[in-house]
């Protein structure tokens, strides 16, 4: 039997607060609910997910570096680090793994400082503005990308 695809899901700073504050911006779905939905979606597609959240940039970088050894791809919502973190970008690039960037809100429809992402140009693609569904769409896109690479 083929090895399951393993995917690292990375949630950046403050995303542990999902569902508790600012529901008008980020929705009412909690992070454990998002992770459970992703795990179910992954399982149906034969993929195993490891979901991590941290409020610490260095911890996220450690997780991305370690993923090189076991994961086939990375689904990431870098949170506020999207707009600030060259080190997280460097780690994602250094992993050599395909990355899909997701955001709950539409970062292009918000404050000007959110319109630039340090991650987007090292990602295969970006899904932004669909609430919790951004994660579902992002995982679908990442799995599709990996499948197309496997079959060529
Ligand atoms: O829309 C997204 O997913 C963001 O990545 C969320 C980040 C924000 O800095 C980005 O510009 C866009 C913020 C995550 C904070 O999440 C909270 C959730 C609930 C309550 C407060 C913050």
């Amino acid at each position: 039997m083929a090895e399951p695809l393993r995917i690292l899901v990375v949630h950046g700073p403050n995303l542990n607060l999902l569902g508790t504050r600012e529901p008008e911006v980020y929705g009412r779905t909690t992070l454990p609910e998002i992770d459970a939905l992703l795990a179910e979606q992954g399982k149906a597609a034969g993929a195993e997910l490891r979901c991590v959240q941290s409020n610490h940039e260095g911890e996220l970088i450690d997780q991305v570096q370690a993923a090189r050894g076991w994961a086939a791809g990375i689904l990431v919502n870098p949170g506020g680090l999207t707009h600030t973190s060259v080190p997280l970008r460097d780690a994602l690039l250094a992993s050599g793994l395909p990355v899909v960037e997701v955001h709950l809100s539409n970062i292009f429809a918000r404050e000007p400082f959110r319109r630039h992402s340090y991650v987007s140009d090292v990602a295969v693609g970006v899904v932004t503005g669909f609430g919790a569904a951004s994660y579902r769409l992002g995982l679908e896109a990442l799995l599709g990308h990996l499948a197309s690479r496997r079959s060529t």
Side-chain angles (χ1 to χ4, degrees):
M1 213 167 75
E3 279 277 297
L5 277 179
R6 296 193 174 87
I7 306 291
L8 175 65
V9 179
V10 178
H11 307 286
N14 297 309
L15 286 162
N16 55 313
L17 299 176
L18 276 183
T20 65
R21 307 212 184 111
E22 298 185 61
E24 65 290 352
V25 183
Y26 298 118
R28 294 192 185 278
T29 313
T30 66
L31 199 59
E33 287 169 345
I34 287 175
D35 287 345
L37 289 167
L38 289 174
E40 205 176 301
Q41 181 185 351
K43 194 174 171 191
E48 279 176 13
L49 272 56
R50 173 163 184 209
C51 302
V52 297
Q53 187 277 331
S54 179
N55 294 324
H56 304 278
E57 186 175 12
E59 169 63 20
L60 296 170
I61 290 166
D62 286 346
Q63 294 283 353
V64 168
Q65 285 188 7
R68 188 179 167 82
W70 63 267
I74 300 177
L75 183 71
V76 60
N77 181 349
L81 295 174
T82 306
H83 320 294
T84 64
S85 183
V86 174
L88 181 58
R89 169 212 170 83
D90 288 346
L92 289 165
L93 192 57
S95 76
L97 298 171
V99 172
V100 171
E101 176 186 356
V102 300
H103 298 282
L104 296 146
S105 61
N106 179 354
I107 60 172
F108 301 105
R110 299 185 63 192
E111 302 96 321
F113 68 83
R114 293 188 202 274
R115 290 180 201 154
H116 176 260
S117 164
Y118 280 100
V119 173
S120 299
D121 68 310
V122 300
V124 176
V126 183
V127 181
T128 187
F130 297 98
S134 290
Y135 283 92
R136 176 173 52 76
L137 296 165
L139 180 59
E140 187 182 330
L142 179 57
L143 293 173
H145 176 79
L146 290 167
S148 71
R149 282 199 339 181
R150 270 189 168 182
S151 62
T152 53

